[in-house]
Amino acid sequence: MPARGGSKGLINKNLTEVHGKTLTNRSITHARQIVDDKQIILSTDSEDIVLEAAKFFKIKSYDLKLNNLSDFGPFKVHFRDSSLSSDNSLISEVIFSVRNLILSAGKSLNVICLLQPTSPFRSSKDLSLFKKIVETSSTNSSVVSVCSV
């Protein structure tokens, strides 16, 4: 889940609260409805986002390593540098970076679910449907969710 800290249009947009949760924490909560905690990776360049997530999920200690997957309570954090966090950085570059880190750690990767904090309006029904598709699919699949706003 990508949560960049350098928003220019709406400062700290990923820390904006909707119904008592920041956009980032809402996405982590949604991810928990789909996969086990140990499979969740928050990718960010913002210490403020990491601190807010730690506070919300009661994570007491963590050690961030730049451009690595760091343990973050039950989750992982991909604390990325500016090359993956500029206005010109592509989300595909972030995904490939995380993918390569997972593979280089000797882990397998079957599914990537990208939950962008700036798209917080996901229904439990949609999340359940996605989980079912992931669990029953035997081939590489792509699922895109679109809703009217």
Side-chain angles (χ1 to χ4, degrees):
M1 141 183 10
R4 191 169 70 98
S7 174
K8 291 190 173 139
L10 180 60
I11 305 301
N12 291 323
K13 114 177 113 186
N14 288 317
L15 291 172
T16 300
E17 287 193 12
V18 174
H19 298 293
K21 289 183 188 171
T22 66
L23 293 176
T24 300
N25 291 340
R26 287 178 64 81
S27 289
I28 294 171
T29 301
H30 291 162
R32 294 177 94 183
Q33 294 177 34
I34 300 170
V35 296
D36 294 331
D37 287 353
K38 64 185 177 199
Q39 295 175 301
I40 297 171
I41 300 170
L42 167 64
S43 180
T44 188
D45 64 329
S46 169
E47 289 185 40
D48 291 338
I49 288 173
V50 171
L51 289 170
E52 176 58 31
K55 181 175 131 188
F56 185 83
F57 291 101
K58 297 175 176 54
I59 296 168
K60 303 262 188 251
S61 66
Y62 52 89
D63 182 26
L64 299 180
K65 296 180 182 102
L66 196 60
N67 294 323
N68 269 301
L69 295 179
S70 302
D71 289 330
F72 185 65
F75 317 117
K76 297 275 188 204
V77 169
H78 172 236
F79 196 67
R80 51 191 154 123
D81 66 21
S82 60
S83 71
L84 293 173
S85 301
S86 73
D87 290 341
N88 299 322
S89 299
L90 301 175
I91 192 63
S92 58
E93 294 170 329
V94 174
I95 292 169
F96 283 120
S97 176
V98 170
R99 175 190 171 273
N100 290 340
L101 289 168
I102 291 168
L103 295 176
S104 69
K107 309 263 182 181
S108 64
L109 181 65
N110 298 323
V111 176
I112 295 173
C113 176
L114 178 66
L115 297 176
Q116 292 183 283
T118 52
S119 300
F121 303 109
R122 303 175 193 98
S123 70
S124 292
K125 180 181 172 186
D126 290 338
L127 293 169
S128 294
L129 179 59
F130 179 74
K131 182 176 181 174
K132 184 177 179 180
I133 291 169
V134 168
E135 291 173 344
T136 59
S137 179
S138 60
T139 61
N140 292 334
S141 301
S142 179
V143 179
V144 177
S145 171
V146 180
C147 67
S148 297
V149 177

